[in-house]
């Protein structure tokens, strides 16, 4: 079992919404299973991460912890298509004030298994 820290990097910081977009993204690997933890990253960070790991299978994971509690600013279709999770988990409190997870994100996730 091992844990790879994928983001952030010491030589590149995203200045837009700095706390969310530079939150820790890591991948836990155990035998043939893996889980991608995405913190609170938003689309801008997803795009930078996709570029950093293009032409690799590093982001592909069995399980995805959906970014930013299922906010509409994360979990883009492009990102989901690269990760290709079989299971997704969304950390969110019931009846939260932000109305997370967002309906658009839920529909995007459901389309993955149709």
């Amino acid at each position: 079992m091992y844990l790879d820290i994928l983001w952030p990097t010491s030589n590149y910081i995203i200045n837009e919404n700095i706390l969310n977009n530079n939150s820790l993204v890591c991948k836990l690997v155990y035998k043939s299973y893996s889980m991608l933890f995405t913190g609170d990253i938003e689309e801008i960070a997803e795009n930078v991460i996709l570029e950093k790991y293009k032409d690799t299978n590093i982001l592909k994971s069995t399980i995805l912890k959906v970014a930013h509690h299922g906010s509409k600013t994360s979990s883009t279709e492009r990102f989901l298509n690269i990760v290709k999770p079989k299971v997704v988990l969304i950390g969110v409190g019931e009846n939260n004030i932000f109305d997370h997870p967002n309906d658009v994100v839920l529909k995007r996730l459901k389309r993955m298994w149709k």
Side-chain angles (χ1 to χ4, degrees), residues 5-54:
I5 306 301
L6 305 178
W7 185 257
T9 62
S10 60
N11 60 346
Y12 188 86
I13 297 294
I14 297 173
N15 291 317
E16 183 179 323
N17 204 354
I18 198 164
L19 291 178
N20 286 353
N21 285 314
N22 296 292
S23 62
L24 193 62
V25 175
C26 55
K27 183 176 178 178
L28 179 70
V29 179
Y30 177 71
K31 297 184 180 182
S32 63
Y33 300 96
S34 59
M35 184 167 179
L36 187 64
F37 296 87
T38 54
D40 280 342
I41 62 170
E42 298 175 333
E43 181 175 4
I44 189 171
E46 288 181 358
N47 289 335
V48 172
I49 292 166
L50 288 171
E51 182 63 25
K52 177 179 169 82
Y53 295 105
K54 70 180 178 184

Side-chain angles (χ1 to χ4, degrees), residues 102-112:
N102 182 272
D103 286 338
V104 171
V105 172
L106 291 177
K107 287 176 186 172
R108 193 177 296 143
L109 292 167
K110 287 177 185 176
R111 278 197 309 269
M112 292 181 62

